[in-house]
């Protein structure tokens, strides 16, 4: 196994040391094979909004499994989850289920190209949309951490159609659309960037993208694989009140099992096979176990109480980290939307990828390792988002902040060893 892992960021290359091998997890806590426990802010990189192994989700998966694990034929669970998604997202009239966020974005791009008969797409530097060839250009997440701005093996003939702009820069989008008139099929964006660390959209940014895309006849694709049902019921598009043409979902809608989706306006989704000519398929798509896990998760979120609780806990954590940094005299910017947050080791707020890359990754490395040592598991890279679950209670937050204070003191006085 390359790096000993199934996905690169898990190998801890950016922070040194050995990756933690998981034995089991429950609620906000993950336990390793060596007998250590950690308060977990990785949460499988976002899906586990109810924490690890919530009773309702485990029960739903078991119930579904007893009825068969995959059929290659339709099940009503598909319709149930589709109806919930359509009711939650006003921009989405129809959905197609796939297995991963990568498949969702790859398919949405294909659909946008099919719908517009145009080839070019616009993406933001530092946004990560999975590892499909066309989108693996100046991508965030593991691609940033490992210093691979784009990957060998991706033909230039493919990325030649991918136009790059900085996040939060409307002028750049306007210029690119202007100089590629009638050629841009779509702009794809994480409405809340999460794969360069958490970077919220500047006020007016998403509305500006909406009107620019309309003016130039390009589709607007929100990649809400991370933000969808995470920051609010219905995701970032509901939080900010902007309707994209197409939406990509993943993570939370699968409740920790492999499920993702793309969806959007009726006239666009009608182009997808078998109703239309745009081909896209999947042996395990709409898998009943994944649908059952997703449904149980969304049902637990539907009344909104979980989001209120997550907001309160996440705000308290963010404020606690910011206060601890001020006390220690370490420049930190805690950036947060709902239960997505990143403390950047930076002197000024981070609004785009170039600024994110100026963060002090050496300070982050020490921070990470002190937290790990004190039983707090955060993503092993400065350029990732921390997630909270409804199981992160006051005791978990207090323990986290105690570890954070210690880590920040160590950054201030690196020669001082343990307590
Ligand atoms: N889009 C976004 C915004 C993501 O955060 C991710 C995964 N981190 C993906 C797409 C790709 O999803 P997957 O890893 O399920 O292929």
């Amino acid at each position: 196994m390359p790096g000993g892992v199934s996905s690169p960021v898990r190998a801890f290359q950016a922070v040194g040391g050995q990756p933690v091998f998981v034995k089991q997890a429950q609620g906000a806590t993950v336990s390793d094979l060596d007998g250590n426990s950690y308060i977990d802010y990785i949460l499988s990189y976002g899906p586990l909004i109810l924490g690890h192994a919530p009773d309702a989700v485990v029960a739903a998966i078991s119930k579904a499994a007893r009825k068969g694990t995959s059929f290659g034929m339709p099940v009503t669970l598909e319709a149930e989850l589709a109806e919930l998604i359509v009711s939650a997202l006003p921009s989405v009239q129809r959905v197609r289920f796939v297995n991963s966020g990568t498949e969702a974005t790859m398919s949405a791009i294909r659909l946008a190209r099919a719908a517009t008969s145009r080839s070019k797409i616009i993406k933001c530097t530092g946004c990560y949309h999975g590892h499909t060839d066309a989108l693996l250009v100046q991508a965030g997440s593991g691609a940033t951490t490992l210093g691979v701005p784009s990957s060998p093996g991706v033909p230039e003939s493919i990325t030649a159609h991918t136009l790059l702009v900085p996040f939060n820069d409307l002028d750049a989008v306007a210029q690119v659309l202007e100089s590629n008139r009638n050629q841009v099929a779509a702009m794809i964006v994480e409405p809340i960037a999460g794969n360069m660390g958490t970077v919220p959209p500047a006020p007016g940014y998403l509305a500006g993208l909406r009107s620019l895309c309309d003016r130039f006849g390009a589709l607007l694709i929100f990649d809400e694989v991370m933000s969808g049902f995470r920051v609010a019921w219905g995701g970032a598009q509901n939080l900010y009140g902007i309707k994209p043409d197409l939406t990509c979902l993943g993570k939370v809608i699968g409740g920790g099992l492999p499920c993702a989706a793309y969806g959007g306006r009726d006239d666009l989704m009608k182009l997808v096979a078998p109703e239309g000519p745009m081909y896209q398929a999947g042996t395990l798509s709409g898998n009943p176990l994944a649908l059952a896990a997703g449904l149980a998760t969304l049902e637990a979120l539907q009344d909104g109480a979980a989001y209120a609780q997550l907001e309160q806990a996440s705000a308290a954590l963010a404020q606690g980290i910011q206060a601890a940094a001020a006390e220690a005299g370490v420049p930190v910017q805690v950036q947060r939307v709902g239960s997505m947050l990143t403390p950047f080791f930076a002197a000024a707020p981070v609004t785009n990828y170039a600024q994110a890359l100026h963060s002090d990754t050496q300070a982050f490395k020490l921070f990470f390792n002190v937290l790990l040592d004190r039983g707090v598991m955060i993503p092993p890279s400065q350029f990732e988002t921390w997630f909270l679950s409804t199981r992160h209670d006051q005791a978990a937050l207090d323990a986290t902040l105690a570890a954070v204070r210690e880590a920040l003191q160590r950054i201030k006085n690196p020669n001082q060893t343990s307590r």
Side-chain angles (χ1 to χ4, degrees):
M1 295 168 65
V5 292
S6 299
S7 194
V9 74
R10 296 178 197 172
F12 277 23
Q13 274 193 3
V15 291
Q18 295 297 317
V20 165
F21 274 71
V22 175
K23 184 177 177 207
Q24 62 188 53
Q26 180 57 240
T29 306
V30 64
S31 307
D32 72 13
L33 290 173
D34 301 321
N36 305 304
S37 293
Y38 308 90
I39 303 165
D40 184 14
Y41 294 93
I42 295 180
L43 291 176
S44 188
Y45 290 92
L48 306 178
I49 195 164
L50 305 176
H52 290 280
D55 289 342
V57 175
V58 172
I61 296 168
S62 318
K63 187 176 163 201
R66 277 192 291 272
K67 296 182 183 172
T69 56
S70 185
F71 309 110
M73 289 181 267
V75 291
T76 53
L77 282 171
E78 291 168 284
E80 282 178 60
L81 188 56
E83 273 171 18
L84 212 49
I85 290 171
V86 166
S87 74
L89 289 96
S91 74
V92 174
Q93 293 171 320
R94 294 210 213 181
V95 288
R96 166 61 60 85
F97 290 112
V98 291
N99 303 291
S100 67
T102 297
E103 283 182 59
T105 58
M106 177 185 76
S107 308
I109 294 291
R110 185 179 303 151
L111 178 53
R113 286 171 165 161
T116 56
S117 303
R118 300 175 177 183
S119 299
K120 294 187 178 173
I121 52 173
I122 302 176
K123 92 171 266 290
C124 292
T125 52
C127 279
Y128 178 70
H129 304 289
H131 61 90
T132 186
D133 283 354
L135 296 169
L136 205 56
V137 190
Q138 299 247 336
S141 192
T144 300
T145 310
L146 301 178
V148 185
S150 58
S151 169
V154 177
E156 273 171 30
S157 55
I158 291 181
T159 53
H161 299 293
T162 307
L163 308 165
L164 296 166
V165 292
F167 189 68
N168 273 331
D169 184 344
L170 286 173
D171 289 342
V173 178
Q175 271 172 27
V176 166
L177 285 166
E178 184 65 60
S179 50
N180 294 272
R181 263 183 187 275
N182 302 320
Q183 295 173 63
V184 176
M187 164 138 188
I188 184 167
V189 67
E190 292 177 73
I192 300 159
N195 286 292
M196 48 179 128
T198 307
V199 179
Y205 179 61
L206 299 176
L209 291 182
R210 180 65 279 176
S211 56
L212 280 172
C213 285
D214 287 343
R215 175 137 57 94
F216 288 91
L219 300 181
L220 180 60
I221 306 174
F222 276 4
D223 178 354
E224 296 225 45
V225 167
M226 189 183 284
S227 58
F229 293 98
R230 162 57 70 179
V231 295
W233 181 252
Q237 54 193 269
N238 280 8
L239 196 63
Y240 297 108
I242 305 295
K243 271 175 134 179
D245 300 292
L246 293 171
T247 299
C248 302
L249 296 167
K251 301 198 191 257
V252 172
I253 69 155
L257 265 68
C259 180
Y262 63 103
R265 289 204 324 261
D266 209 37
D267 59 304
L268 297 171
M269 293 303 289
K270 262 189 196 153
L271 299 173
V272 178
E275 275 187 59
M278 191 220 84
Y279 194 72
Q280 181 273 309
T283 299
L284 292 174
S285 293
N287 175 264
L289 272 55
L291 295 166
L295 255 180
T297 301
L298 294 195
E299 279 165 0
L301 298 171
Q302 198 167 9
D303 70 7
Y307 292 110
Q309 183 195 332
L310 283 163
E311 173 64 26
Q312 204 189 11
S314 307
L317 180 63
Q319 281 157 18
I321 298 171
Q322 198 66 75
E327 200 182 311
V330 176
V332 170
Q333 309 291 324
V334 185
Q335 304 200 170
R336 179 183 76 87
V337 181
S339 56
M340 293 170 56
L341 70 90
T342 299
F344 282 101
F345 286 90
V350 172
T351 66
N352 62 30
Y353 189 46
Q355 291 169 355
L357 291 179
H358 272 112
S359 306
D360 182 347
T361 51
Q362 284 309 312
F364 176 82
K365 187 172 172 177
L366 183 54
F367 183 70
F368 171 87
N369 280 296
V370 174
L371 290 189
L372 190 71
D373 204 43
R374 295 286 170 256
V376 177
M377 177 71 73
I378 63 169
S381 160
Q382 170 74 90
F383 310 108
E384 298 284 353
T385 287
W386 303 20
F387 301 99
L388 275 80
S389 79
T390 52
R391 300 289 296 279
H392 285 69
D393 58 13
Q394 193 59 47
L397 299 183
D398 290 345
T400 303
L401 287 173
V404 163
R405 278 191 284 274
E406 190 182 334
L408 289 166
Q409 292 299 338
R410 280 280 296 283
I411 289 167
K412 196 66 189 172
N413 308 299
N415 296 327
Q416 184 185 323
T417 44
S418 269
R419 282 176 291 195

